[in-house]
Every structure is written in C-alpha cells, then in structure tokens.
Amino acid sequence: MKFSFYAFFMTMGFASSVLSANCLVYPDKSSGVVSYNGEEVKDIPKAVDDCSLISVKSGSVLVNYMTDNGVSSVMVLRDGDVFSQPAKKSNSLTQLAAYLKGDVRKVEGVSRLIDPSKRVANMPYGIIYPYKDQMKLNTSRVANIKYPAVLEFYDDGNAKVSSVKISNAKQSYLFPLDKLKAGESYSWSLFSSDKSRMDGDFTMASIEEASYVSDYIKELEHKYPMQSVEYNLALISLFNDYTFEFNRDLLIPELSEGLRK
C-alpha cells in the first residue's frame, strides 16, 4: 500500500525545550497527510529532531519516541493531533529509520553496531537478549544451504554446547537458551550436506542488561496490545537502543506485515 503525504502548515506555539526531542515518524495502515515544521514529509519512516513540530491533517501516523524514564513508546497521531508527551533525545532513531527502510548504507561508518555485511539472516549475531517469543527460528532466509544441515553452537573455549539436525528450510529449531549463560560469548557453525559451512558468533546479554530490558518490556506489555503494530515498533526501538540487533531484525518483517494488513 502506498502512502500519500502532502504539505500541511501548522505553527506549534506551545513547543518547548521539554518537548524538543528526537522522534521516528512512521505511517500506519491508513494513508495520511503529515508535515514536519510546516514542510511536506516524503521520506518515511523519518527521524525528526523535534517531536512537537509534527502535525497531521488527515489519516494517521505512528510516532516513536523515548520517554524520560528511558522507555521506547509509540503514540498514534490522527487528524488535528499534535505531539504532547515529555520525551528525551535518542541517538538511535535516525539509524532505526534507515533499518526500517532497508537502507543500511546510511548508517555504515557511523553505527556502533555490527557491520551489516557480517550478518547472516535469522542466524545469531551481536548481543542477544533472551526474548523467549523470538527463540523459535529456522533457516528459511539463509541462502546457499544444502539440506540436511547441522547447526552447532560452541562456547568461548570451543566446546560444543548444542547440536541440531535441520532437514529443510522451514524446520524450526529452538535457540538453546538453557545451555547459554548471560554475558558469555559463543560461536556457531552451520554445516551443509555439500560440505560447505557458515560461521558466526554472538554474546548473550549480561544479567544487568537483561534485567533493565525485561522491566521495560513489562511496561510495554501493559501499555499496548501484544503483537500490535504499536507494541512491535516500541519493542524494535527498545532492542535497537540496547544494540540487540538480532532481536530487532527478527521483528522488522513482522512490523512491516502488520502495517500492510
């Protein structure tokens, strides 16, 4: 579905330093008319510098922002609405906008996250938060594999901690959370039946990091319906802020699908 955005001028007299904060503007399912500081918004999703300068003439738009207590939240703005929530600066929203549009080149060289060229889709990389809803995986997005394949996990001392035989691309496997320790580094190898292999590594989130994020997720669960577009966007933003790229990237297709329905 295509979204049409036209210029709509509205002067925001109430703007203050309290509301001057980064926001990510993302369209929902309905087409809309939105402006930022009186100028036409075409580049969606777009990270803007001042949330209070967003205005909506028709339709609706999702605004992703960081609250004062550090929780990634989402507000839906509709006809005539203005942003009216205390928010703080978030240095990751421009980066997240690029990832949501699939344009990772815009963040290369400035990102503190893993080099996109070193990722294998659906395979663990970076720092991983043990979010149980995401731990059922498959190799459907991993190219050039001949089945049956074998996926093995190793600890930092190269000792094997888990092994699973994968018969086809659609077969699910469980990420071995019960065998992985918080804060520890691991590697994996995916062996194809044609003797080729792929390798990667990752680190489990520390107990402290996991505890912080767990508390924030509970807040999101109370605020939004589970699996809603608003919930998924807020969760993606939260994972992005904590550099849990693997978790973030697994959710992006689900968000895109939700916006198309």
Side-chain angles (χ1 to χ4, degrees):
M1 180 183 296
K2 292 185 178 180
F3 297 85
S4 300
F5 293 87
Y6 305 96
F8 171 66
F9 181 82
M10 179 181 288
T11 302
M12 303 303 224
F14 70 90
S16 68
S17 59
V18 174
L19 294 179
S20 180
N22 301 131
C23 283
L24 175 65
V25 183
Y26 205 101
D28 73 355
K29 292 170 286 189
S30 61
S31 59
V33 180
V34 65
S35 69
Y36 174 65
N37 197 23
E39 296 196 9
E40 180 179 4
V41 177
K42 296 180 179 179
D43 186 22
I44 297 290
K46 180 181 179 65
V48 300
D49 292 330
D50 190 341
C51 309
S52 67
L53 297 180
I54 299 167
S55 58
V56 180
K57 183 176 181 180
S58 66
S60 56
V61 66
L62 302 172
V63 179
N64 185 197
Y65 62 98
M66 183 71 70
T67 65
D68 281 340
N69 65 345
V71 179
S72 294
S73 294
V74 177
M75 177 185 293
V76 180
L77 298 184
R78 298 182 176 86
D79 303 14
D81 288 346
V82 294
F83 185 86
S84 59
Q85 296 294 314
K88 70 175 185 178
K89 291 283 186 179
S90 172
N91 61 8
S92 64
L93 288 177
T94 299
Q95 178 194 71
L96 181 57
Y99 277 106
L100 288 171
K101 287 184 289 189
D103 192 359
V104 296
R105 292 172 299 175
K106 288 187 177 181
V107 296
E108 287 180 3
V110 298
S111 172
R112 59 195 174 107
L113 307 184
I114 192 170
D115 181 349
S117 68
K118 295 182 180 179
R119 298 176 187 152
V120 178
N122 269 34
M123 301 302 293
Y125 49 81
I127 304 174
I128 294 179
Y129 171 74
Y131 187 52
K132 293 183 179 180
D133 289 350
Q134 289 186 304
M135 295 298 105
K136 189 174 183 180
L137 305 169
N138 59 57
T139 56
S140 60
R141 295 172 61 204
V142 183
N144 304 318
I145 293 186
K146 305 296 181 182
Y147 297 92
V150 175
L151 175 62
E152 296 183 346
F153 291 86
Y154 309 90
D155 65 18
D156 202 28
N158 208 34
K160 188 187 300 182
V161 296
S162 179
S163 179
V164 59
K165 185 176 181 179
I166 303 176
S167 301
N168 57 70
K170 294 183 180 180
Q171 177 190 328
S172 297
Y173 68 90
L174 292 177
F175 198 78
L177 289 178
D178 58 330
K179 299 180 180 179
L180 306 178
K181 298 178 181 179
E184 296 291 322
S185 296
Y186 297 89
S187 60
W188 57 264
S189 293
L190 183 60
F191 300 91
S192 291
S193 59
D194 63 359
K195 309 301 182 183
S196 64
R197 63 184 281 181
M198 295 181 181
D199 301 287
D201 54 68
F202 62 95
T203 300
M204 297 303 296
S206 68
I207 294 175
E208 184 179 35
E209 288 175 318
S211 177
Y212 284 143
V213 172
S214 177
D215 289 342
Y216 290 157
I217 289 177
K218 289 177 183 177
E219 290 191 37
L220 298 180
E221 290 174 347
H222 282 97
K223 187 172 183 178
Y224 308 110
M226 291 290 289
Q227 306 309 316
S228 65
V229 171
E230 293 89 345
Y231 177 79
N232 283 335
L233 181 55
L235 192 57
I236 286 171
S237 181
L238 179 63
F239 286 149
N240 191 67
D241 286 329
Y242 275 83
T243 70
F244 297 148
E245 301 176 87
F246 178 69
N247 302 94
R248 176 202 65 198
D249 292 351
L250 288 178
L251 276 173
I252 287 177
E254 187 173 339
L255 174 67
S256 299
E257 181 64 26
L259 288 165
R260 286 194 295 268
K261 291 182 178 178

